[in-house]
Amino acid sequence: MPNATKNSTAMANAIRVLAMDAVQQANSGHPGAPMGMADMAVALWSRHLRHSPTNPQWLDRDRFVLSNGHASMLIYALLHLSGYDLSVDDLKAFRQMHSKTPGHPEVGITPGVETTTGPLGQGITNAVGFALAEKLLAAEFNREGHRIVDHHTYAFLGDGCLMEGISHEAVALAGAWKLNKLIALYDDNGISIDGQVTPWFIDNTPKRFEACGWNVVGPVDGHDIDAVDAAIERAKLSGDKPTLIVCKTHIGKGSPNRANTAKAHGEPLGGDEIKLTREALSWVHEPFMLPEEVYADWNAKADGELLVNDWNARFDAYKAAFPELAAEYVRRMAGELPANFSEIAVQAVAAAHDKAETVASRKASQQALEHFTAALPELLGGSADLTGSNLTNTKSTPPVRFEDDGSVAVTELGKPGRHINYGVREFGMAAIMNGVALHGGFIPYGGTFLTFSDYSRNAIRMAALMKQRVIHVFTHDSIGLGEDGPTHQSVEHAASLRLIPGLDVWRPADTTETAVAWSIALANKNRPTALLLSRQNLPYAPKVDADVITQGAYILAEPSEVGLKKKPVAVIIATGSEVQLALHAQAELAKQKIPVRVVSMPSTTVFDRQDVAYKKAVLPNKLPRIAVEAGVTDFWWKYGVDAVVGIDTYGESAPAGVLFKHFGFTTENVVATVRKVLSIKK
Amino acid sequence: MPNATKNSTAMANAIRVLAMDAVQQANSGHPGAPMGMADMAVALWSRHLRHSPTNPQWLDRDRFVLSNGHASMLIYALLHLSGYDLSVDDLKAFRQMHSKTPGHPEVGITPGVETTTGPLGQGITNAVGFALAEKLLAAEFNREGHRIVDHHTYAFLGDGCLMEGISHEAVALAGAWKLNKLIALYDDNGISIDGQVTPWFIDNTPKRFEACGWNVVGPVDGHDIDAVDAAIERAKLSGDKPTLIVCKTHIGKGSPNRANTAKAHGEPLGGDEIKLTREALSWVHEPFMLPEEVYADWNAKADGELLVNDWNARFDAYKAAFPELAAEYVRRMAGELPANFSEIAVQAVAAAHDKAETVASRKASQQALEHFTAALPELLGGSADLTGSNLTNTKSTPPVRFEDDGSVAVTELGKPGRHINYGVREFGMAAIMNGVALHGGFIPYGGTFLTFSDYSRNAIRMAALMKQRVIHVFTHDSIGLGEDGPTHQSVEHAASLRLIPGLDVWRPADTTETAVAWSIALANKNRPTALLLSRQNLPYAPKVDADVITQGAYILAEPSEVGLKKKPVAVIIATGSEVQLALHAQAELAKQKIPVRVVSMPSTTVFDRQDVAYKKAVLPNKLPRIAVEAGVTDFWWKYGVDAVVGIDTYGESAPAGVLFKHFGFTTENVVATVRKVLSIKK
């Protein structure tokens, strides 16, 4: 929709000037990228992007992701100019405490920002998640004559994103999934922080994308707004492939001395160069003062409201025709659980409790998932090529597949699939799940071995920072994995995941704890969860009441349960597969007339949020404490323990039973440790 | 070197049978991949690989990397058959405790295994490191008529490795670096654990590699030994590009019912199918009993000794012509530091001590590196596109560059460069550094922001597991990074790195601590190190003796140093940028007549290795302890602290000073915390 009456050059220069002035004022930031991408932004934002500045949460808006997040002033300028609730004062507060314009774009802080970007490569991967969610929701909810889910996902990205390995995972999956409504614009400026990229970046990027099933348009002159506009127009015609538009640009475009240099990248231009740039652009306005015509040309409020009104009318028609579907769509997009969720959760836990089975907790997870996936159509599972090991699939979640024409295949259940084969792409899976969660309509969960949480770690952190409900199913959670050996055996992972602020971590001991962990993870609307699950079978730990599990830690067995009518003289705290060991030690100690309490602590993060009274009831100040977990010991001292039975070296390749014995996870060793603590304390 | 007298089919079938029998005996493992790659292995190992089973450490041997490490029985069979010190009994102990045949190949455990593989994508990336090291060493040490460094690096890899993002980083760099002596053989069998890969893996792999500057040969029939042989022959002709040989294979080849199925991947074939496979292969021999002819055909001892003898003779000639160069090569490959290393270290520390400068610790690191890189030609630096921020380059380390013909460019210093622009590829950098260290001849170090240690985390772990001297320079180590905001601010990273077994972590407070940290990292022959360095300036912390820093923690300031002639009543433990804060608090408390000791603890991991007496001298049992670190608090309880001044949430985007104040890193807060602890303890 080119508009002859608009002054596109001025629109682009407004971005350039705002970017250089805001960075200068903050004395910190990245002016070069927004200046280089300004023309691309004019083409996309003023001619294609379907959005509504006054309705930033409009459900069917196009999604825009700035994958090269250091170019944050680009999106802030665009939001401000388009009419979002982002004032000149907000721009002046760029990179200042509690402003709406932090150094990198942060979702939840700034209206119109769809995802937090900065860690390179993850934005484009989030965008794949957005586009996947759109495609699956469209297949599920649209009906003949009613296209209520119908939007594009656009991403800007730079060569930094393309160098990151995760971009390969994202690109490969977008191609395999035929995400034709994903359009990525590559800011091909040939410069990264270290300089002209040729010595370290010789990729033929178009060829690389074509090799992964993408449509490639260009290279086009990224400063020719009409050319970029035409390229986007072409990209929108794709029915079965995502599109990359290669835009040749000059970093710092407009700055006479800094353009095309690495110096334009990450530091203010400086007063003198800003003056020269103003002259070169013939820009006569003071910093942060823009002419009314520019605002008028940029203002997207009226157009956006027309779009929203039109969609609302169409949605009303849809609602009239399909009232249940419409209600379900609204519920799903709002991230609300079904009204009967508590009931379902109770059923899942009760079923586990009643069966009291001895199974691996990964199997217990699948059993819980059978309940939850049957009742919650928003659950979108997956695995990084370990489906049969992670047990993330259920009867309700056949694989997601795509037809040759790009459409979503209908499964034997008469609907799109709900379990994704991510391939061996852990980081990609995690960042795509973040995109799916941000889009709305789904609760994504995905599996891999716990050790490979290392690969996806920064995306897990990003989910926590963004407060997104993403659930990681990490199986094979310790040396209990056995023969695969130390490369695959988690030792430090449980502890190190617990250090990520805002992430809930569960390491359940049996089927009920696993079902409860799932129920809390699902109810955690604003928090990601990691479930650490065993490969090996775990006996059911009898308990009167499963409700108490929701507190994260609880008294599992008092001495009375092993026939000792005495008050406990010590507490053994254990998690996951080591809870049974704690119970064995308790029984053995009882024979020796030493009464101890066993506390199961499936979630330290949840327990830490309980009130002091509860904490003291579970872990009385006066009782010595011994922690038992097949992981590094350092973590446990925060609970005031006197000893830890753990493992501070790498594991070995051998059957699990041999390993547990070798590393001291034996009843005798736990008993001896408790006795030693008691003798010292005397 | 095809040999008409050898029975190549039997040689390949011997691998197949050993693999299926060993997996069956272990009742665990992956038979399908070794069976599928057996013919490729015959072509490479019996016709090209230049190695010596009786001299597995021969310096100029070809390096072989099994990137798809789950196929471990392939390499064990090859090593056994070729004549390495790996017996039939070792094979029978596959995947058993303390055997030489663990579940995944582990360097240091099995002669002939060059690197530990299993975590997918890292093996091929290590191989890039091997090939880089070879190329740089050849450029540095070879002389006209003397090619003492002249070997290939071969890697086998599967589609799992190719799906992993890190493979993109490895492939892109190998292409940019024109590593013509890197030859990768892709086991293209179309099957991954989840099944036929087409729904999730549609990459046109040849096109993808060509896009990154590789030579691609094939697809060839991976079961046609002569065809693979010819492909390798062609690959060896490449002068300026690495080569990918695409080998079309059948997973589980030989097994009538499991071949070409995902079931062949990760479980034993079972007795019945093994019987059928023996029949199909016309293999009449009992498990682990191989005919002498097969051993004779495989035996590479005599050929290998000829190769070594020839090289030794050539090396003698080189030594005669260039005695110093030869001695230096031997020293470097042995990983021995120069004889005057201690002197150099003393100089570096003394220079820091004498200058007593206020600089960022990243700058202090560069200052130390000026000393060390000038004296240690084996130091090979680099940065993931943050050279100017990480300050990893020095006067002695100009950038490594390659000429169009594939040769290493000579820098202005008359030698190859010594600082690598890895591009924005943190994980790739880390795994390449592992390969460089494993090859020998260099001590690699590389920089990025601390937060992005998340991206490379599993490769850091692998360095620790493999006991390799790799040094990570992680700058911008806390909220002190400032305006870039929470995506870039480390909060949990220092603590979570300390949890990785076998990794040394340093967070130095000033220039001397930084110089000492470097000296210990360099002397740590069998251990990787992470140096966590500040973006912001840190004042010099006056100390009498820098030697004590080597203990990891030490008494920096007693109350007497702030004019209080009393014994301390509490200890403040601090690291890095918070040491100055501890000193300010000490001074303020002194004004209030409260004598406290300040302990600087730059390395908890080193301190943990000290004897009990020293630990008690630094942290007397009776004194209350308060830890101060701009990171998560959980970690510190292991030191028996009574309180921690830390940060358990994400940071914010704002200038560093504002952030430190906002998050309670103020003299007042530390003073108040100490007073509170003392009042409770009373």
Side-chain angles (χ1 to χ4, degrees):
Chain A
M1 31 180 165
N3 189 326
T5 68
K6 288 188 181 179
N7 182 345
S8 295
T9 307
M11 291 171 79
N13 286 341
I15 294 172
R16 294 195 168 94
V17 171
L18 283 175
M20 72 178 184
D21 287 341
V23 170
Q24 188 67 29
Q25 166 133 343
N27 195 26
S28 160
H30 302 78
M35 294 174 80
M37 293 190 288
D39 303 301
M40 292 158 57
V42 172
L44 175 63
W45 277 62
S46 79
R47 302 188 187 177
H48 294 278
L49 196 74
R50 291 167 61 90
H51 65 132
S52 171
T54 49
N55 300 280
Q57 296 303 315
W58 171 35
L59 297 183
D60 201 40
R61 68 195 181 278
D62 285 344
R63 266 59 169 187
F64 174 76
V65 173
L66 185 70
S67 191
N68 41 1
H70 54 273
S72 55
M73 265 313 299
L74 178 77
I75 194 167
Y76 298 146
L78 288 166
L79 294 170
H80 168 71
L81 292 164
S82 302
Y84 284 78
D85 180 17
L86 197 71
S87 67
V88 163
D89 284 341
D90 291 324
L91 298 186
K92 288 182 183 166
F94 182 49
R95 296 186 151 232
Q96 303 310 306
M97 193 73 180
H98 295 152
S99 77
K100 284 161 80 177
T101 48
H104 289 82
E106 295 183 36
V107 67
I109 303 285
T110 320
V113 168
E114 303 282 2
T115 178
T116 301
T117 52
L120 293 174
Q122 288 189 68
I124 180 65
T125 314
N126 297 160
V128 172
F130 279 103
L132 173 69
E134 193 269 349
K135 191 161 209 162
L136 293 177
L137 287 170
E140 186 176 354
F141 286 98
N142 287 349
R143 289 293 178 273
E144 186 79 40
H146 296 273
R147 297 186 61 80
I148 57 146
V149 183
D150 185 15
H151 58 265
H152 281 86
T153 300
Y154 296 98
F156 278 12
L157 73 166
D159 26 39
C161 289
L162 291 175
M163 287 188 237
E164 289 288 1
I166 189 175
S167 70
H168 173 56
E169 304 182 14
V171 167
L173 284 174
W177 296 339
K178 306 175 206 294
L179 299 178
N180 59 302
K181 288 162 90 178
L182 173 63
I183 299 175
L185 291 92
Y186 166 30
D187 176 35
D188 184 8
N189 61 30
I191 297 282
S192 66
I193 295 178
D194 277 3
Q196 294 273 359
V197 295
T198 37
W200 55 89
F201 183 56
I202 61 157
D203 295 8
N204 180 332
T205 297
K207 191 168 176 178
R208 170 191 166 198
F209 274 66
E210 283 167 4
C212 291
W214 284 55
N215 189 28
V216 177
V217 179
V220 301
D221 176 354
H223 300 300
D224 178 340
I225 294 170
D226 292 336
V228 177
D229 172 18
I232 298 170
E233 203 59 53
R234 260 185 69 191
K236 285 158 87 174
L237 300 176
S238 174
D240 59 353
K241 286 179 179 177
T243 299
L244 178 77
I245 302 172
V246 179
C247 303
K248 288 274 177 196
T249 62
H250 303 287
I251 192 171
K253 167 91 174 171
S255 159
N257 298 303
R258 292 286 178 92
N260 288 322
T261 72
K263 266 192 99 64
H265 182 96
E267 55 184 276
L269 297 184
D272 292 349
E273 185 65 15
I274 284 179
K275 192 155 169 282
L276 292 173
T277 306
R278 276 197 152 69
E279 287 168 19
L281 298 176
S282 307
W283 193 267
V284 297
H285 317 286
E286 291 300 300
F288 302 106
M289 303 285 284
L290 301 178
E292 277 312 312
E293 315 85 79
V294 167
Y295 276 117
D297 282 354
W298 265 116
N299 196 305
K301 288 200 219 181
D303 285 351
E305 276 161 21
L306 287 177
L307 290 171
V308 172
N309 291 342
D310 171 63
W311 186 83
N312 284 342
R314 289 189 286 118
F315 192 76
D316 285 344
Y318 175 75
K319 198 166 163 182
F322 309 99
E324 285 179 22
L325 218 49
E328 184 69 354
Y329 173 74
V330 168
R331 176 188 76 76
R332 296 257 302 261
M333 290 300 289
E336 304 297 344
L337 295 171
N340 63 343
F341 175 74
S342 315
E343 242 168 85
I344 299 154
V346 167
Q347 283 165 13
V349 175
H353 192 73
D354 293 348
K355 279 201 202 162
E357 262 184 306
T358 292
V359 291
S361 51
R362 61 183 170 136
K363 183 70 189 169
S365 164
Q366 192 180 41
Q367 291 171 344
L369 273 174
E370 286 291 357
H371 289 267
F372 290 117
T373 56
L376 276 69
E378 58 264 51
L379 274 169
L380 182 65
S383 167
D385 203 45
L386 289 168
T387 302
S389 296
N390 301 142
L391 301 177
T392 40
N393 57 342
T394 68
K395 295 188 192 77
S396 309
T397 63
V400 173
R401 293 286 182 266
F402 299 89
E403 305 289 359
D404 287 346
D405 69 356
S407 64
V408 179
V410 175
T411 68
E412 65 273 20
L413 302 181
K415 290 179 287 192
R418 287 172 51 200
H419 187 275
I420 295 173
N421 299 96
Y422 286 99
V424 191
R425 303 180 182 99
E426 299 81 7
F427 195 9
M429 173 173 75
I432 287 171
M433 291 201 292
N434 291 350
V436 168
L438 286 158
H439 181 280
F442 291 106
I443 301 175
Y445 68 91
T448 187
F449 287 170
L450 175 55
T451 301
F452 302 117
S453 65
D454 280 355
Y455 278 51
S456 49
R457 188 170 171 90
N458 199 261
I460 302 168
R461 178 182 213 255
M462 290 301 290
L465 177 60
M466 295 192 286
K467 301 187 166 71
Q468 293 302 304
R469 178 164 47 187
V470 172
I471 303 171
H472 291 274
V473 179
F474 291 131
T475 68
H476 297 63
D477 72 344
S478 73
I479 54 169
L481 168 143
E483 292 88 343
D484 273 347
T487 53
H488 287 54
Q489 288 164 1
S490 297
V491 169
E492 73 278 24
H493 299 85
S496 71
L497 287 171
R498 292 175 185 136
L499 299 179
I500 297 179
L503 175 70
D504 259 0
V505 180
W506 286 85
R507 187 167 186 259
D510 67 3
T511 53
T512 28
E513 287 191 6
T514 307
V516 169
W518 263 110
S519 73
I520 295 185
L522 292 168
N524 258 343
K525 194 172 174 185
N526 298 312
R527 194 188 286 275
T529 299
L531 303 174
L532 318 189
L533 305 170
S534 75
R535 177 195 184 203
Q536 72 277 23
N537 279 346
L538 305 182
Y540 183 75
K543 57 193 82 66
V544 184
D545 172 17
D547 250 20
V548 73
I549 300 170
T550 59
Q551 318 256 34
Y554 62 99
I555 302 167
L556 173 64
E558 289 285 28
S560 59
E561 294 182 55
V562 282
L564 213 57
K565 284 182 190 162
K566 287 187 189 171
K567 286 198 172 165
V569 296
V571 180
I572 305 179
I573 307 169
T575 79
S577 48
E578 285 65 68
V579 167
Q580 53 175 316
L581 179 58
L583 292 171
H584 289 152
Q586 182 193 40
E588 179 56 35
L589 285 160
K591 286 185 200 157
Q592 302 174 20
K593 308 291 175 214
I594 301 173
V596 305
R597 165 185 294 182
V598 172
V599 165
S600 180
M601 195 180 282
S603 180
T604 63
T605 52
V606 172
F607 180 64
D608 290 350
R609 293 200 292 274
Q610 304 309 314
D611 61 34
V612 174
Y614 181 74
K615 288 181 186 170
K616 282 199 178 166
V618 174
L619 302 175
N621 279 344
K622 286 183 184 168
L623 293 185
R625 302 162 192 180
I626 297 90
V628 187
E629 184 176 65
V632 292
T633 57
D634 280 357
F635 176 79
W636 286 100
W637 302 101
K638 69 180 275 200
Y639 294 107
V641 297
D642 302 278
V644 187
V645 177
I647 167 171
D648 285 315
T649 64
Y650 292 104
E652 305 259 358
S653 169
V658 175
L659 291 171
F660 279 118
K661 194 168 172 194
H662 175 76
F663 287 106
F665 296 97
T666 61
T667 305
E668 304 79 64
N669 189 34
V670 176
V671 165
T673 307
V674 172
R675 292 191 67 119
K676 192 173 167 196
V677 165
L678 289 172
S679 72
I680 291 168
K681 285 268 162 174
K682 254 176 199 166
Chain B
M1 29 180 166
N3 188 326
T5 68
K6 289 187 180 178
N7 182 345
S8 295
T9 306
M11 291 172 79
N13 286 340
I15 294 172
R16 293 194 168 94
V17 172
L18 283 176
M20 73 179 183
D21 288 340
V23 169
Q24 188 66 29
Q25 165 133 342
N27 196 25
S28 160
H30 303 78
M35 295 175 79
M37 292 190 289
D39 303 301
M40 293 158 56
V42 172
L44 175 62
W45 276 62
S46 79
R47 302 187 187 177
H48 294 278
L49 196 73
R50 293 167 60 90
H51 65 131
S52 172
T54 50
N55 300 280
Q57 295 303 316
W58 170 36
L59 297 183
D60 201 39
R61 68 195 180 278
D62 284 344
R63 266 59 168 186
F64 174 76
V65 173
L66 185 69
S67 191
N68 40 0
H70 54 275
S72 53
M73 265 312 300
L74 178 77
I75 193 166
Y76 298 146
L78 288 166
L79 294 170
H80 168 70
L81 293 163
S82 303
Y84 283 79
D85 180 17
L86 198 70
S87 68
V88 163
D89 285 342
D90 290 325
L91 298 187
K92 288 181 182 167
F94 182 49
R95 295 185 152 233
Q96 304 309 306
M97 194 73 180
H98 295 153
S99 77
K100 284 161 82 176
T101 49
H104 290 81
E106 294 183 36
V107 67
I109 302 284
T110 319
V113 168
E114 303 282 1
T115 178
T116 301
T117 51
L120 293 173
Q122 289 188 66
I124 180 64
T125 314
N126 296 160
V128 172
F130 279 103
L132 174 69
E134 193 269 351
K135 191 161 208 162
L136 294 176
L137 287 170
E140 185 175 354
F141 286 98
N142 287 349
R143 289 292 180 271
E144 186 80 40
H146 297 271
R147 296 186 61 81
I148 57 147
V149 184
D150 185 14
H151 57 264
H152 282 86
T153 300
Y154 296 98
F156 277 13
L157 74 165
D159 26 39
C161 290
L162 291 176
M163 288 187 237
E164 288 288 1
I166 188 175
S167 70
H168 173 55
E169 304 181 15
V171 167
L173 284 174
W177 296 338
K178 306 176 206 291
L179 299 178
N180 59 302
K181 287 163 89 179
L182 172 64
I183 300 175
L185 289 94
Y186 166 31
D187 175 35
D188 184 7
N189 61 30
I191 297 283
S192 66
I193 295 179
D194 277 3
Q196 294 273 359
V197 296
T198 37
W200 55 89
F201 182 57
I202 61 157
D203 295 7
N204 180 332
T205 297
K207 192 169 175 178
R208 171 191 166 197
F209 274 67
E210 284 166 5
C212 291
W214 285 55
N215 189 28
V216 177
V217 179
V220 301
D221 176 355
H223 300 300
D224 179 341
I225 294 171
D226 292 336
V228 177
D229 172 19
I232 297 171
E233 203 58 54
R234 258 186 72 191
K236 285 157 87 173
L237 300 176
S238 175
D240 59 353
K241 284 179 179 177
T243 299
L244 179 77
I245 301 173
V246 179
C247 302
K248 287 274 177 196
T249 62
H250 304 287
I251 191 170
K253 167 91 174 170
S255 159
N257 299 301
R258 293 286 178 90
N260 288 322
T261 72
K263 265 191 100 62
H265 182 96
E267 54 184 277
L269 297 183
D272 293 347
E273 185 65 15
I274 283 179
K275 193 156 169 284
L276 293 173
T277 305
R278 276 198 151 68
E279 287 167 19
L281 297 176
S282 307
W283 192 267
V284 297
H285 316 286
E286 292 300 300
F288 302 107
M289 302 286 285
L290 300 180
E292 276 312 312
E293 315 85 79
V294 166
Y295 275 118
D297 282 354
W298 265 116
N299 196 305
K301 288 200 218 180
D303 285 352
E305 276 161 21
L306 286 177
L307 291 172
V308 171
N309 290 342
D310 172 63
W311 186 83
N312 283 343
R314 290 189 287 117
F315 191 76
D316 284 344
Y318 175 74
K319 199 166 161 181
F322 308 99
E324 283 179 23
L325 217 48
E328 183 70 353
Y329 173 74
V330 168
R331 176 187 76 76
R332 295 258 302 261
M333 289 301 288
E336 304 297 344
L337 295 171
N340 63 341
F341 175 73
S342 316
E343 241 168 84
I344 298 154
V346 167
Q347 283 165 13
V349 176
H353 193 73
D354 293 348
K355 278 200 202 163
E357 261 184 307
T358 292
V359 292
S361 51
R362 61 183 169 135
K363 183 70 189 170
S365 164
Q366 191 180 41
Q367 290 171 345
L369 273 173
E370 286 290 357
H371 289 267
F372 290 117
T373 56
L376 276 71
E378 58 265 52
L379 274 169
L380 182 65
S383 167
D385 203 44
L386 288 168
T387 302
S389 296
N390 301 142
L391 302 177
T392 40
N393 58 342
T394 68
K395 293 187 192 79
S396 310
T397 63
V400 173
R401 292 287 183 265
F402 299 89
E403 304 288 358
D404 287 345
D405 67 358
S407 64
V408 180
V410 174
T411 67
E412 67 272 21
L413 301 182
K415 292 180 286 191
R418 288 171 51 201
H419 188 275
I420 295 173
N421 300 95
Y422 286 98
V424 191
R425 303 181 182 98
E426 299 81 6
F427 195 9
M429 174 173 73
I432 287 171
M433 290 200 292
N434 291 350
V436 167
L438 286 158
H439 181 281
F442 291 107
I443 302 175
Y445 68 91
T448 185
F449 286 172
L450 175 55
T451 301
F452 302 118
S453 64
D454 280 355
Y455 278 51
S456 50
R457 187 169 173 92
N458 199 263
I460 302 168
R461 178 181 212 256
M462 290 300 291
L465 178 60
M466 296 193 284
K467 301 188 165 71
Q468 293 302 305
R469 179 165 45 189
V470 172
I471 303 171
H472 291 274
V473 179
F474 291 131
T475 68
H476 297 62
D477 71 346
S478 73
I479 53 169
L481 167 144
E483 292 90 342
D484 273 348
T487 53
H488 286 54
Q489 287 164 0
S490 298
V491 170
E492 74 278 25
H493 299 85
S496 71
L497 287 171
R498 291 173 186 137
L499 299 180
I500 296 179
L503 175 70
D504 260 0
V505 180
W506 286 85
R507 188 168 186 259
D510 66 4
T511 53
T512 28
E513 288 192 5
T514 306
V516 169
W518 264 109
S519 72
I520 295 185
L522 292 168
N524 258 342
K525 194 173 174 184
N526 299 312
R527 195 187 284 275
T529 299
L531 304 174
L532 318 190
L533 305 170
S534 74
R535 176 195 184 203
Q536 73 277 22
N537 280 347
L538 306 182
Y540 183 76
K543 56 193 83 65
V544 183
D545 173 16
D547 250 19
V548 74
I549 300 170
T550 61
Q551 317 257 33
Y554 63 98
I555 302 166
L556 173 65
E558 290 285 28
S560 59
E561 294 182 54
V562 281
L564 213 56
K565 285 184 187 159
K566 286 187 189 173
K567 286 196 171 164
V569 295
V571 179
I572 305 178
I573 306 168
T575 79
S577 48
E578 285 65 68
V579 167
Q580 54 174 314
L581 179 58
L583 292 171
H584 288 152
Q586 182 193 40
E588 178 57 34
L589 285 160
K591 285 185 200 156
Q592 301 173 22
K593 307 291 175 217
I594 302 173
V596 305
R597 165 185 293 182
V598 171
V599 165
S600 179
M601 195 180 282
S603 179
T604 64
T605 52
V606 172
F607 180 63
D608 290 351
R609 292 200 293 274
Q610 304 308 315
D611 62 33
V612 174
Y614 181 74
K615 287 181 187 170
K616 282 199 178 166
V618 174
L619 300 177
N621 280 344
K622 288 185 186 167
L623 293 185
R625 302 161 191 182
I626 296 90
V628 186
E629 183 175 66
V632 292
T633 57
D634 280 358
F635 176 79
W636 286 100
W637 302 99
K638 71 179 275 200
Y639 295 106
V641 296
D642 301 279
V644 187
V645 177
I647 167 171
D648 286 315
T649 64
Y650 292 104
E652 305 259 357
S653 169
V658 176
L659 291 171
F660 279 117
K661 194 168 173 195
H662 176 75
F663 288 105
F665 296 96
T666 60
T667 304
E668 303 80 62
N669 189 33
V670 177
V671 166
T673 306
V674 172
R675 292 191 65 120
K676 194 172 165 195
V677 166
L678 289 172
S679 72
I680 291 170
K681 285 266 162 174
K682 254 177 198 167

